[in-house]
Amino acid sequence: MKKYLLRFTVLVLALFMSLTAVAAGGADSDPVAMLKRVADAMLSSLQAHKATLKKNPTVVYDMARQIIVPHADLSEMSKRVLPPQTWNNATAAQKSAFQREFTTTLIRTYASALASYENQTVEFFPVRGGYAGLSTVEVSSQINRPDGPPVAVSYSLLKVGSNWKLFDMTVEGVSMLESFRSQFADQLNRGDMASLLKVLQQHNADNSQE
């Protein structure tokens, strides 16, 4: 699973940027304004803890637990990252266990990428055609890097009540969910939901020792 780390170094910065402002500012009916507020809050936090991130990754773990769990739609992510038949046939206990292990996998995988923060900035663009009356929306942006060309990132958001919640992101055409879905499909081709859970549990247990 670590082979996907470099691919998502920029994406993970976008992920945490897109979640922090919700916690800071509460409900927001404007997805672009929410993301802009997030970016300001997260970039400020990354800059303040820049030295600590590389020395103590648990700081990032704690940050992720506080941000991603309440403000991303992890239930929707978990459902979409598995084949429909696998999800529908899973027991309630298996679904709960998968969401827990998948969340941990996301956090552990991307925490190391956050340590690579080097003064990136983010620019968001208006939603084409607006978002009034929509339950899902895509917000386009670009990550501006001091050492390279801009990187295109789009955010897929789902409206839950009065809040917009993240359920996928795409960086330079590569979807976060599609990448994980490919990994999990490989394992499911060799086994079933129970075996996938064992692999995830072992992966997360191994990483917890790092």
Side-chain angles (χ1 to χ4, degrees):
M1 294 184 182
K2 290 184 179 179
K3 66 182 178 180
Y4 290 92
L5 183 59
L6 292 178
R7 179 182 296 178
F8 286 109
T9 295
V10 176
L11 185 147
V12 68
L13 294 172
L15 168 64
F16 283 86
M17 279 189 267
S18 67
L19 295 170
T20 305
V22 182
D28 200 325
S29 59
D30 183 337
V32 179
M34 181 271 285
L35 291 173
K36 287 180 178 178
R37 194 171 68 242
V38 173
D40 290 341
M42 193 61 207
L43 289 175
S44 177
S45 179
L46 285 172
Q47 187 65 45
H49 297 89
K50 189 174 178 180
T52 308
L53 293 176
K54 294 182 180 180
K55 297 177 181 178
N56 185 8
T58 60
V59 172
V60 182
Y61 296 165
D62 293 341
M63 187 186 305
R65 288 290 179 189
Q66 294 174 18
I67 297 170
I68 194 171
V69 172
H71 302 299
D73 196 332
L74 292 168
S75 177
E76 190 69 19
M77 285 183 175
S78 299
K79 180 179 179 180
R80 292 187 183 219
V81 82
L82 293 176
Q85 183 176 1
T86 300
W87 181 261
N88 292 335
N89 290 339
T91 66
Q94 286 177 324
K95 291 177 180 178
S96 178
F98 178 78
Q99 181 172 319
R100 181 175 61 252
E101 297 300 332
F102 180 47
T103 300
T104 300
T105 298
L106 284 171
I107 292 169
R108 295 274 169 79
T109 301
Y110 295 151
S112 296
L114 275 172
S116 68
Y117 169 71
E118 292 292 345
N119 302 312
Q120 292 93 340
T121 61
V122 60
E123 180 181 2
F124 297 97
F125 305 107
V127 177
R128 292 181 180 180
Y131 54 86
L134 298 179
S135 58
T136 61
V137 69
E138 281 197 11
V139 177
S140 298
S141 74
Q142 67 180 29
I143 303 296
N144 299 311
R145 301 178 294 165
D147 59 348
V151 177
V153 179
S154 64
Y155 307 80
S156 296
L157 304 173
L158 176 69
K159 195 162 191 181
V160 181
S162 59
N163 293 309
W164 289 98
K165 293 199 173 187
L166 182 75
F167 69 88
D168 193 15
M169 291 179 304
T170 301
V171 58
E172 296 292 349
V174 180
S175 161
M176 175 182 68
L177 287 187
E178 287 289 348
S179 293
F180 275 106
R181 188 180 293 126
S182 177
Q183 293 182 67
F184 297 155
D186 288 343
Q187 178 59 41
L188 289 169
N189 286 336
R190 299 191 295 270
D192 54 14
M193 183 66 158
S195 65
L196 174 59
L197 282 172
K198 287 181 180 179
V199 170
L200 284 175
Q201 288 163 352
Q202 186 61 56
H203 170 75
N204 291 330
D206 290 344
N207 282 352
S208 69
Q209 304 303 315
E210 296 179 354

